[in-house]
Amino acid sequence: MAASGKLSTCRLPPLPTIREIIKLLRLQAAKQLSQNFLLDLRLTDKIVRKAGNLTNAYVYEVGPGPGGITRSILNADVAELLVVEKDTRFIPGLQMLSDAAPGKLRIVHGDVLTFKVEKAFSESLKRPWEDDPPNVHIIGNLPFSVSTPLIIKWLENISCRDGPFVYGRTQMTLTFQKEVAERLAANTGSKQRSRLSVMAQYLCNVRHIFTIPGQAFVPKPEVDVGVVHFTPLIQPKIEQPFKLVEKVVQNVFQFRRKYCHRGLRMLFPEAQRLESTGRLLELADIDPTLRPRQLSISHFKSLCDVYRKMCDEDPQLFAYNFREELKRRKSKNEEKEEDDTENYRL
């Protein structure tokens, strides 16, 4: 649904530039919040164009900062733009945009990780999951520090069809560090293939649509930035609970340079580890010497389906965490060492 061509001719009235607003309000990017401002309106316009046709759309922008992308969204003739900003220093500049676009811009001072966007727009915007995506879009230049936890949160929302996805298959156009963007879109076998690749691609059509050089931002980050577009799939490629898929994928990729059986072993308690891992691989028809990045979504589907059956047979299996087993073992060893020392003294 990506639209080509220019943004709508509905334009904001003359306003101070983003650079002038930053100077006027004495704004500085907060390093602890990994903030980087995008000031070039040609680039913010491009991000908005790649989001699709936003005429009369309802848009949720995350982390608007001084309002660069916000301006481009408003110039796209949207029906309504909701922005959620955690940093109070940016509110006056956003209010200036709101005054220039009466009735178009809603400003919320809050945290995108906890904001309930499912209650933000009208019920009338909801569409059945099997239909085309709703007229609701998520756009944002995400701070690096929250980008990965936020996309994982939204992917779980897609799996459960809640949060921003109560409206249907809401599309997202978001920025990430270039390396993260490449991982999200990485194909099977590529060096960038990772946990994020599988978690995103089993639920969405993921496209790394273009890269913005770091020098376009103020202050300049040490890395370039990738713009990624997500469209939730009508049917997920793995039909198992999100937490189960996440557990299998995390275990596989924690030893990303080893054969895949190395990480899969950690799904099982030590006493049954070898036998259960062998059974999992055999039933899923997976070559144990494949590397994690060589496993396709189809491979992960087979692994998750078999692991689910094994969890159904042993209700305690899914709760097993090998790290907790390591902690208990370490604690027992320390207690034993203390007892041995005490006996020596006696």
Side-chain angles (χ1 to χ4, degrees):
M1 242 171 74
S4 59
K6 296 182 179 179
L7 294 174
S8 167
T9 55
C10 179
R11 310 294 295 183
L12 291 167
L15 290 166
T17 66
I18 298 297
R19 196 176 295 275
E20 287 169 344
I21 286 179
I22 289 172
K23 188 175 181 180
L24 177 69
L25 299 177
R26 298 179 179 179
L27 298 174
Q28 286 188 328
K31 188 173 183 181
Q32 67 271 26
L33 298 177
S34 61
Q35 292 174 341
N36 302 95
F37 305 148
L38 186 56
L39 307 184
D40 188 337
L41 290 183
R42 293 170 300 179
L43 288 170
T44 60
D45 282 353
K46 185 175 181 180
I47 291 172
V48 171
R49 282 199 306 273
K50 294 298 184 180
N53 182 6
L54 299 186
T55 302
N56 295 321
Y58 293 77
V59 180
Y60 170 38
E61 185 190 358
V62 293
I69 295 178
T70 311
R71 291 189 185 207
S72 293
I73 296 171
L74 290 171
N75 280 331
D77 200 18
V78 296
E80 183 181 7
L81 171 58
L82 167 68
V83 299
V84 175
E85 177 53 65
K86 185 177 182 179
D87 193 331
T88 55
R89 298 175 304 149
F90 297 125
I91 302 299
L94 294 170
Q95 189 59 52
M96 190 182 301
L97 289 176
S98 180
D99 294 342
K104 292 277 189 180
L105 178 59
R106 244 196 308 158
I107 304 166
V108 173
H109 174 226
D111 188 337
V112 296
L113 289 169
T114 56
F115 179 70
K116 303 292 185 184
V117 70
E118 59 268 35
K119 299 177 181 178
F121 297 121
S122 169
E123 293 269 326
S124 64
L125 294 171
K126 292 183 178 180
R127 302 189 70 163
W129 195 262
E130 296 74 19
D131 282 6
D132 289 339
N135 203 20
V136 177
H137 296 255
I138 300 174
I139 300 176
N141 174 29
L142 303 179
F144 295 158
S145 60
V146 303
S147 61
T148 298
L150 185 58
I151 194 58
I152 289 293
K153 176 179 183 292
W154 280 340
L155 289 171
E156 184 168 10
N157 289 147
I158 291 172
S159 176
C160 299
R161 301 184 184 182
D162 59 13
F165 307 95
V166 296
Y167 304 102
R169 295 186 299 119
T170 302
Q171 297 178 85
M172 302 183 287
T173 308
L174 306 167
T175 63
F176 299 87
Q177 291 183 53
K178 183 184 175 185
E179 181 182 2
V180 176
E182 289 174 343
R183 288 178 181 174
L184 284 162
N187 294 322
T188 304
S190 76
K191 291 182 180 179
Q192 288 79 23
R193 187 75 165 175
S194 70
R195 171 183 70 109
L196 280 178
S197 316
V198 178
M199 296 307 295
Q201 292 170 32
Y202 97 85
L203 290 164
C204 296
N205 175 21
V206 184
R207 292 186 297 121
H208 178 192
I209 45 184
F210 71 100
T211 299
I212 303 174
Q215 62 205 39
F217 293 83
V218 177
K220 178 184 178 296
E222 295 180 0
V223 295
D224 293 337
V225 171
V227 180
V228 182
H229 186 81
F230 303 82
T231 304
L233 300 170
I234 293 175
Q235 196 78 18
K237 294 180 179 178
I238 303 173
E239 297 188 70
Q240 295 295 348
F242 183 86
K243 291 296 185 185
L244 184 144
V245 179
E246 186 177 40
K247 184 176 182 182
V248 171
V249 175
Q250 279 182 333
N251 274 272
V252 169
F253 277 100
Q254 70 181 325
F255 300 107
R256 57 180 299 113
R257 296 182 184 278
K258 304 288 187 181
Y259 294 139
C260 66
H261 72 81
R262 180 69 179 84
L264 289 168
R265 288 171 56 191
M266 299 300 106
L267 289 169
F268 304 102
E270 188 174 22
Q272 64 186 77
R273 188 164 289 161
L274 288 177
E275 179 186 351
S276 295
T277 306
R279 181 175 171 227
L280 171 62
L281 287 162
E282 182 180 358
L283 292 174
D285 193 22
I286 304 294
D287 180 350
T289 64
L290 288 175
R291 309 281 181 184
R293 62 187 175 91
Q294 294 175 303
L295 295 177
S296 66
I297 299 291
S298 178
H299 286 135
F300 278 104
K301 178 186 185 305
S302 297
L303 288 168
C304 290
D305 289 347
V306 174
Y307 180 63
R308 171 66 183 270
K309 289 178 183 177
M310 297 174 80
C311 289
D312 289 343
E313 293 168 3
D314 178 1
Q316 295 182 329
L317 179 59
F318 183 70
Y320 170 73
N321 185 320
F322 84 94
R323 296 185 190 281
E324 291 178 3
E325 186 175 55
L326 287 176
K327 286 179 184 177
R328 286 195 297 271
R329 190 186 305 164
K330 184 178 179 182
S331 177
K332 285 182 181 179
N333 289 339
E334 288 175 350
E335 289 175 5
K336 184 176 183 303
E337 287 176 5
E338 288 177 4
D339 290 343
D340 290 346
T341 302
E342 188 64 30
N343 291 334
Y344 177 79
R345 287 172 180 167
L346 292 173

